[in-house]
Amino acid sequence: MAKSINNIVTEGLSGRIGKQIVFSQRNGETIVSKFPVRTKKPTAKQIAQQTKFSSAIAYGKNALQDNSLKVLYTTEAQKRKGVSAYNLAVADFLKAPVIENVDVSAYKGAASGEKITITVTDNFKVTTVKVAIINSDDTPVEQGEATLLEGKWIYSTNTSLSGDKVVVTATDRPGNKTVKETTL
């Protein structure tokens, strides 16, 4: 891969020349690369990734058609060097939130009001964190949404949880979900 810097012939050029070279634009630079040659049929995993990427492209285009989403992605993209609102929307679709930690240490066995603290990260924004408390026999005890407070998601319990498990589901703007289970 080569970079073309300050060349009046190739500046801003995008596309391919036959099946020899490809020009593309990245961060205001013209990139010149060899035309890709695929000699093998794609695997099931590759096809799944290609399908997911196609969906991400569609999400990115649609997000910029929605004025409220466009403002959100544009505002965040301006804070990051070399990232467009479109790139951020596509990346947001492709990356699910990560549940870093579920802290149940503040629970001491009381019937209600004790806190479960959850740390969730995402490359753009986590929109909801849901918590479900489930008995050891898999019957639901309670469920609800956590509240964002000073960068952490807090869930206040309503019942005694000893011996149960906590199931946390984090969702970001494109609808990617991550689930993490913690046994009390």
Side-chain angles (χ1 to χ4, degrees):
M1 174 174 65
K3 291 183 183 180
S4 176
I5 300 172
N6 211 11
N7 183 327
I8 62 170
V9 175
T10 61
E11 185 177 348
L13 192 59
S14 176
R16 68 180 182 160
I17 298 178
K19 291 191 175 186
Q20 297 296 314
I21 58 176
V22 177
F23 293 91
S24 61
Q25 296 295 313
R26 291 194 192 107
N27 299 325
E29 295 181 324
T30 303
I31 307 295
V32 183
S33 58
K34 183 178 169 187
F35 184 81
V37 178
R38 290 169 178 60
T39 57
K40 298 179 183 177
K41 285 183 77 174
T43 65
K45 280 180 136 179
Q46 288 171 325
I47 291 170
Q49 183 60 29
Q50 289 167 1
T51 302
K52 184 176 181 180
F53 191 73
S54 293
S55 297
I57 296 300
Y59 175 81
K61 288 178 180 177
N62 289 332
L64 296 184
Q65 298 300 314
D66 179 323
N67 285 335
S68 62
L69 286 179
K70 183 177 182 177
V71 168
L72 291 172
Y73 284 118
T74 301
T75 301
E76 183 62 27
Q78 290 171 345
K79 298 175 188 174
R80 302 178 188 196
K81 184 179 179 185
V83 176
S84 70
Y86 171 75
N87 295 140
L88 188 58
V90 169
D92 191 23
F93 184 91
L94 291 172
K95 188 172 187 324
V98 176
I99 301 171
E100 303 280 341
N101 186 36
V102 179
D103 183 3
V104 294
S105 63
Y107 175 71
K108 303 294 182 216
S112 66
E114 295 184 332
K115 311 267 187 265
I116 295 173
T117 304
I118 305 134
T119 306
V120 184
T121 58
D122 189 55
N123 60 335
F124 180 63
K125 183 179 181 182
V126 177
T127 55
T128 60
V129 173
K130 295 182 179 181
V131 178
I133 312 295
I134 300 172
N135 278 328
S136 56
D137 65 357
D138 286 335
T139 58
V141 175
E142 68 176 271
Q143 61 184 12
E145 287 194 17
T147 305
L148 184 61
L149 184 64
E150 297 176 3
K152 303 260 186 195
W153 293 87
I154 309 295
Y155 179 76
S156 292
T157 62
N158 295 314
T159 58
S160 176
L161 308 175
S162 184
D164 296 341
K165 60 185 171 184
V166 176
V167 179
V168 177
T169 305
T171 307
D172 65 2
R173 186 157 307 283
N176 296 312
K177 291 183 180 183
T178 303
V179 177
K180 185 171 186 173
E181 190 174 294
T182 303
T183 303
L184 297 172

